[in-house]
Amino acid sequence: MTMNEQRNVLGGPLMACSYSPLTGYFRTGCCETDVTDRGQHVVCIKATAEFLDYSRRVGNDLSTPRPEYRFRGVQPGDRWCLCALRWLEAHEAGFAPPVVLEATNETALEVIPLELLREFALG
């Protein structure tokens, strides 16, 4: 399946998640994936301070800027393509961030039930 044929969890076209910061496994702004994306960076989230703090505490520091990678760090309110298992882990710990369903890749459904994603849907 080509990138532009990927679908969201609602069955529609995969919409962009964020261009600032530029997100996605391929840094296209979309939560596109393929077999090389072992982390499945497919859940479009809206970051919260609580989630970013939790993520840093468990070893996935998304908020610290890394200028050598032209990465300003994810801030509260930013959208970001998060690994499906990482979102589920945050949910189980009580820190799941809101989800943008139209920008979340349908492959997330291999890990997270749609009903659960709908509970955390923005809008």
Side-chain angles (χ1 to χ4, degrees), residues 7-9 14 42-44 99-106 108 117:
R7 312 296 288 173
N8 66 41
V9 294
L14 185 63
V42 295
V43 181
C44 181
V99 175
V100 182
L101 296 176
E102 297 81 6
T104 295
N105 195 299
E106 68 184 351
L117 290 171

Side-chain angles (χ1 to χ4, degrees), residues 5-121:
E5 293 175 335
Q6 294 191 23
R7 312 296 288 173
N8 66 41
V9 294
L10 302 175
L14 185 63
M15 307 306 286
C17 182
S18 175
Y19 296 113
S20 182
L22 188 58
T23 192
Y25 177 69
F26 297 104
R27 293 299 191 260
T28 61
C30 295
C31 299
E32 299 164 320
T33 192
D34 72 8
V35 296
T36 66
D37 179 11
R38 294 180 24 217
Q40 277 191 299
H41 298 76
V42 295
V43 181
C44 181
I45 65 154
K46 183 174 183 181
T48 63
E50 297 79 14
F51 165 73
L52 291 170
D53 183 55
Y54 163 78
S55 191
R56 183 175 40 257
R57 287 193 323 262
V58 297
N60 187 28
D61 185 358
L62 298 171
S63 54
T64 298
R66 299 290 303 268
E68 66 272 28
Y69 299 114
R70 295 187 333 219
F71 178 65
R72 68 170 173 83
V74 178
Q75 303 303 313
D78 286 347
R79 291 183 178 189
W80 189 251
C81 293
L82 187 66
C83 295
L85 284 173
R86 196 59 90 162
W87 187 91
L88 195 56
E89 175 185 277
H91 173 264
E92 290 168 357
F95 296 101
V99 175
V100 182
L101 296 176
E102 297 81 6
T104 295
N105 195 299
E106 68 184 351
T107 61
L109 300 176
E110 296 169 8
V111 176
I112 308 164
L114 180 57
E115 300 74 36
L116 186 55
L117 290 171
R118 283 185 190 275
E119 283 180 43
F120 288 84

